[in-house]
């Protein structure tokens, strides 16, 4: 059986990099990437995702080995009818490990089409670590890494107010956006980044709290061989997601923003 890649799967499309995502786990790949994939199909959003590995050890190498392609198996009910679909998700363009490729990570801030930042760095991920430094490569905490990226974008585009980010944290804590924003403010103070940058962050960037109501299990080890046989590729990153007609605040926010900013 052939290994999944853009050479072996010629139907995979290429989109404009517009989304930076911190986290490469099943939840984001089965939920966020699926939303972006569906939005690309139904609108002219034309967006792809660059995944940033938030910790030293992660799975971006496994993703890159498959050219960031993977299949999503949806199971459940749709209008009372059983669903068991398998679709190839082609919206991830590449994965970056900032602990190994810090310069490549920072270059993301220089891409003018980048517009969205999404994260799921576990419940403990949104936390202020006073030991983080602006000169770290990278800062250990997720808010520290994000502040480094934001500050570089502010400097690179000389404070252009049109180059801010729309930021959606998906960590499962109450008012996740409020907590992330406060951590960034703390780093602005700790690192003495200045009032001009503070004003740019407060007025050019939006940090939104989200409530996610989807559940995504781990890799389907019991059914993976059958699913791979079904699609005709060896896919080591294939997630399964129970599907239903439920909505989420994140899905509404992202699709509304996509229509407004595409």
């Amino acid at each position: 059986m052939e290994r999944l890649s853009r050479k072996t799967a010629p139907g995979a499309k290429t989109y404009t990099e517009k989304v930076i995502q911190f986290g490469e786990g099943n939840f984001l790949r089965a939920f966020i990437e699926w939303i972006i994939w569906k939005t690309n199909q139904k609108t002219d959003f034309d967006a792809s995702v660059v995944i940033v590995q938030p910790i030293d050890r992660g799975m971006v190498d496994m993703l890159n080995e498959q050219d960031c392609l993977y299949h999503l198996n949806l199971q459940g009910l749709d209008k009372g009818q059983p669903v068991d679909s398998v679709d190839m998700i082609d919206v991830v363009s590449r994965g970056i490990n900032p602990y190994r490729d810090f310069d490549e990570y920072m270059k993301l801030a220089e891409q003018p089409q980048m517009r969205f930042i999404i994260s799921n760095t576990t419940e403990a991920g949104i936390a202020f670590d006073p030991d983080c430094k602006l000169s770290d490569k990278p800062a250990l905490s997720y808010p520290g890494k994000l502040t480094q990226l934001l500050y570089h974008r502010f400097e690179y585009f000389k404070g252009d107010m049109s180059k801010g980010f729309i930021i959606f944290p998906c960590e499962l804590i109450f008012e996740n956006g409020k907590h992330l924003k406060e951590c960034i403010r703390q780093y602005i103070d700790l690192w003495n980044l200045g009032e001009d940058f503070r004003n740019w962050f407060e007025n050019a960037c939006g940090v939104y709290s989200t409530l996610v109501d989807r559940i995504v299990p781990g890799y389907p080890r019991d059914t993976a061989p059958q699913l791979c046989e079904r699609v005709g590729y060896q896919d080591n990153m294939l997630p399964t997601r129970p599907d239903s007609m439920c909505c989420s605040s994140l899905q509404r926010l992202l699709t509304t923003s996509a229509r407004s900013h595409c």
Side-chain angles (χ1 to χ4, degrees), residues 6-17:
R6 291 186 179 268
K7 290 182 179 180
T8 60
K13 297 180 180 179
T14 300
Y15 305 96
T16 304
E17 292 183 342

Side-chain angles (χ1 to χ4, degrees), residues 1 219-236 238 240:
M1 186 180 299
Y219 181 75
R221 297 186 183 280
D222 293 341
T223 59
Q226 293 91 334
L227 290 170
C228 288
E229 190 69 32
R230 184 171 160 185
V231 299
Y233 296 102
Q234 181 60 43
D235 186 349
N236 296 324
L238 189 157
T240 294

Side-chain angles (χ1 to χ4, degrees), residues 20-23 28 52 54 105 117-121 142 145-146:
I20 300 169
Q21 177 177 294
F22 291 84
L28 289 177
V52 177
Y105 164 63
I117 293 177
I118 296 169
S119 67
N120 186 15
T121 58
Y142 163 55
K145 292 184 186 70
L146 180 54

Side-chain angles (χ1 to χ4, degrees), residues 209-227:
S209 291
T210 66
L211 173 63
V212 178
D213 53 14
R214 299 269 186 174
I215 297 173
V216 177
Y219 181 75
R221 297 186 183 280
D222 293 341
T223 59
Q226 293 91 334
L227 290 170

Side-chain angles (χ1 to χ4, degrees), residues 14 41 80 93 95 110 121 127 131 134 138 141-142 226-227 238 257:
T14 300
Q41 289 183 325
S93 60
E110 301 174 9
T121 58
D131 292 329
L134 181 62
S141 74
Y142 163 55
Q226 293 91 334
L227 290 170
L238 189 157
S257 297

Side-chain angles (χ1 to χ4, degrees), residues 38-59:
K38 294 292 286 185
T39 304
N40 282 344
Q41 289 183 325
K42 295 182 178 182
T43 73
D44 59 352
F45 189 33
D46 179 36
S48 67
V49 181
V50 179
I51 292 181
V52 177
Q53 186 172 291
I55 58 176
D56 189 15
R57 295 183 179 180
M59 298 188 297

